């Protein structure tokens, strides 16, 4: 399905202090993760600042946003921030963009910006991609209009589906992306996020995210690695991120699969 090698990221947006944040970045780098990704919410760190601090504390770790809410900033403001981080990280910055998660409207109101209709937000996302230069772009997409935009404009497409989705439901989204992307499909890197991963996830995580679905990965290291290999062979998903609370529990899988 794809010749993209596996790479792995971890998603984190908070830490008690700078030492803990840079420590997480160095730990992720040491464990073989490719990226540290920062969400864009008013309840987490400012993503551009946090990404820059993480990059300064590491040497090979890539940093990125996962994902920036395009309605909350003008396209030129995003391009300015992205260009700065691209240069100061030595090209280790990746820009993740989205049209705004379901509860992002509250953040927009708090920031004093207009959230807009779905169509307006997608147009803002398109304008933002147009404004950005020289930076690898990830677009989070689920609905047809966003999948179409991602199919034609992104380097990486993150499938924005709930953790409880089955492989069949995920496959249906990728089939749609395939039809929309045409000849460009095989150039796309396909990504998904794991809400929960590890041999024995804590009960709170299973209660919150569920016990089954594509976003829940449990079992032995071999079982988890085999699941991801099958998913890549069948669906083409080669870039997998995980909630930072599971960065250590998932590390043996990263060690086994990264770069293969």
């Amino acid at each position: 399905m794809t010749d993209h090698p596996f790479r792995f990221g971890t998603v984190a947006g908070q830490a008690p202090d700078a030492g803990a944040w840079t420590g997480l970045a160095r730990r992720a780098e040491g464990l073989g993760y490719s990226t540290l990704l920062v969400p864009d919410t008013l309840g987490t760190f400012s993503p551009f600042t946090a990404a820059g601090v993480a990059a300064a504390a590491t040497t090979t770790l890539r940093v990125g946003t996962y994902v920036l809410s395009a309605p909350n900033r003008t396209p030129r403001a995003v391009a300015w921030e992205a260009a700065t981080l691209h240069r100061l990280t030595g090209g280790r910055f990746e820009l993740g963009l989205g049209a705004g998660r379901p509860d992002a409207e509250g953040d927009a109101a708090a920031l004093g910006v207009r959230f807009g209709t779905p169509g307006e937000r997608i147009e803002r996302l398109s304008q933002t991609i147009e404004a950005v230069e020289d930076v690898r772009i990830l677009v989070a997409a689920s609905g047809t209009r966003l999948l179409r935009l991602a199919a034609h404009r992104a380097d990486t497409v993150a499938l924005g589906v709930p953790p409880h989705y089955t492989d069949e439901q995920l496959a249906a989204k990728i089939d749609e992306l395939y039809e929309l992307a045409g000849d460009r499909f095989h150039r796309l890197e396909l990504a998904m996020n794991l809400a929960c991963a590890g041999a024995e996830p804590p009960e709170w995580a299973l209660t919150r995210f569920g016990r089954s679905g594509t976003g829940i990965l449990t079992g032995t290291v071999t079982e988890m690695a085999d699941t991801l290999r099958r998913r890549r062979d069948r669906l083409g998903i080669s870039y997998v991120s995980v909630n930072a609370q599971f960065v250590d529990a998932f590390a043996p899988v990263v060690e086994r699969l990264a770069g293969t």
Side-chain angles (χ1 to χ4, degrees), residues 217-230 253 256:
L217 188 65
T218 61
T220 66
V221 172
T222 296
E223 289 169 340
M224 290 188 287
D226 286 347
T227 295
L228 294 182
R229 285 194 192 97
R230 287 194 301 270
V253 178
R256 183 169 298 193

Side-chain angles (χ1 to χ4, degrees), residues 23 38 84 93 138 210 239 250:
V38 188
T84 299
F93 177 68
L138 173 150
Y239 182 20
F250 191 59

Side-chain angles (χ1 to χ4, degrees), residues 6-9 191-194 228 237-242 250:
F6 276 113
R7 68 174 183 140
F8 297 91
M192 69 172 297
N193 184 58
L194 298 175
L228 294 182
I237 297 170
S238 61
Y239 182 20
V240 180
S241 57
V242 65
F250 191 59

